[in-house]
Amino acid sequence: ENAAFMENIKVTLKNNGDDASINYTPLRYWPKNGDKITFFSYYPYNGAGITLTNAGKSGLGKFTFAVQANAADQIDFMVADAKPDMTFSTADVVSGENGVVKFMFKHMLSQVRFYVQTAKDYSDASYDNTTITLNALTLKNVKKSGDLAATYSSPSTTTAWQNLGTKGDFEVVSSDVTLSTTPQLCADGAVASTAKEGIYLMIPQDLAFAPDTVKVYIKYTIKTGTHPDTATDTYEETIPIRTTEVEEWSKNNNIKYTFKIGPQPIQFAAVVTEWEDETDVPFTIN
């Protein structure tokens, strides 16, 4: 095996990979002596947080990976299924071109999004001008680094996360957001301005790592009434994010969390007891 035949070479694809590309350097050619080549690839090339740990060695890729602090800076870390023992004659045909290595990339991370809204419509006058403001939403105790190893055993490629390390927090909301019945996508401190900024790309992990489970800290303020008769209350809660629907983040997951915040108003009702049976008290006045 010659691990250095093509090592960590950047290839720029054409037409999103639908057309064959020779846009890389140094350009290599298929061997004419019958040698077989096994190809393996990852994306993005030298992406933020990716470190190759088996450079110059045989076998498939091994990486260490660290999630970037801000959602807008996080990358869609992908690796492709290995293309084993290929020759020019056994390679793919793409757009009429022979001898093409066509990769199938797979997402190695979990895509997680956070939406916030009110639990119901509090704008009705019967709710006494209630407004709900989300002050903070923080994702806590998240595993932010780990190792990824890829192995090939015919007929498939296996990828596995190992040695999950550093834990940290992500401030999904850190400035005041006025909530409504319309879900708002949040990331990097406030309502996201673009879809990319609203997507967190997380290392797959069990959401109940002992002793520190992955949790969400929420702080919100409820204000009701009209001046001078107003009431303002602020609440803080920390809740586990693990649910029966999602007990872990896995590779290629696409998870949408929606936090619906809403108070339960103190309501009143009444019943009135019936009068007792009439007691007749006669008086005779002469």
Side-chain angles (χ1 to χ4, degrees), residues 11-23:
V11 177
T12 302
L13 297 176
K14 296 171 60 178
N15 192 23
N16 294 319
D18 290 335
D19 296 335
S21 170
I22 55 172
N23 192 353

Side-chain angles (χ1 to χ4, degrees), residues 138-142 207 212-217 238-241:
T138 303
L139 191 62
K140 304 180 71 66
N141 300 326
V142 179
L207 298 177
D212 297 318
T213 60
V214 180
K215 298 179 180 179
V216 171
Y217 163 77
T238 301
I239 57 175
I241 201 170

Side-chain angles (χ1 to χ4, degrees), residues 150-214:
T151 56
Y152 177 79
S153 179
S154 182
S156 62
T157 301
T158 300
T159 55
W161 284 100
Q162 305 165 342
N163 305 321
L164 300 192
T166 307
K167 290 182 294 186
D169 300 344
F170 293 90
E171 288 190 325
V172 181
V173 174
S174 57
S175 56
D176 290 351
V177 177
T178 301
L179 302 184
S180 68
T181 55
T182 301
Q184 298 180 78
L185 178 63
C186 296
D188 292 347
V191 174
S193 59
T194 69
K196 174 176 170 48
E197 292 175 347
I199 297 174
Y200 286 94
L201 296 168
M202 302 294 194
I203 291 178
Q205 58 194 272
D206 187 341
L207 298 177
F209 273 114
D212 297 318
T213 60
V214 180

Side-chain angles (χ1 to χ4, degrees), residues 78-140:
M78 296 186 285
V79 300
D81 289 337
K83 304 282 288 189
D85 299 333
M86 298 187 74
T87 64
F88 177 81
S89 61
T90 62
D92 301 290
V93 177
V94 175
S95 302
E97 295 286 344
N98 296 324
V100 179
V101 182
K102 186 174 183 179
F103 288 114
M104 170 65 75
F105 281 94
K106 296 180 179 178
H107 301 284
M108 294 295 103
L109 303 175
S110 294
Q111 176 176 282
V112 182
R113 292 174 294 158
F114 298 92
Y115 287 81
V116 292
Q117 66 179 101
T118 56
K120 58 184 175 182
D121 187 1
Y122 292 94
S123 63
D124 188 276
S126 62
Y127 285 101
D128 196 17
N129 299 313
T130 294
T131 58
I132 302 173
T133 302
L134 179 63
N135 309 116
L137 192 156
T138 303
L139 191 62
K140 304 180 71 66

Side-chain angles (χ1 to χ4, degrees), residues 203-250:
I203 291 178
Q205 58 194 272
D206 187 341
L207 298 177
F209 273 114
D212 297 318
T213 60
V214 180
K215 298 179 180 179
V216 171
Y217 163 77
I218 297 177
K219 180 180 179 181
Y220 58 95
T221 300
I222 300 171
K223 182 178 180 180
T224 60
T226 304
H227 183 75
D229 299 317
T230 60
T232 301
D233 298 289
T234 298
Y235 300 91
E236 297 181 72
E237 301 180 42
T238 301
I239 57 175
I241 201 170
R242 180 170 178 164
T243 65
T244 54
E245 296 86 358
V246 180
E247 296 183 348
E248 62 180 327
W249 293 336
S250 300

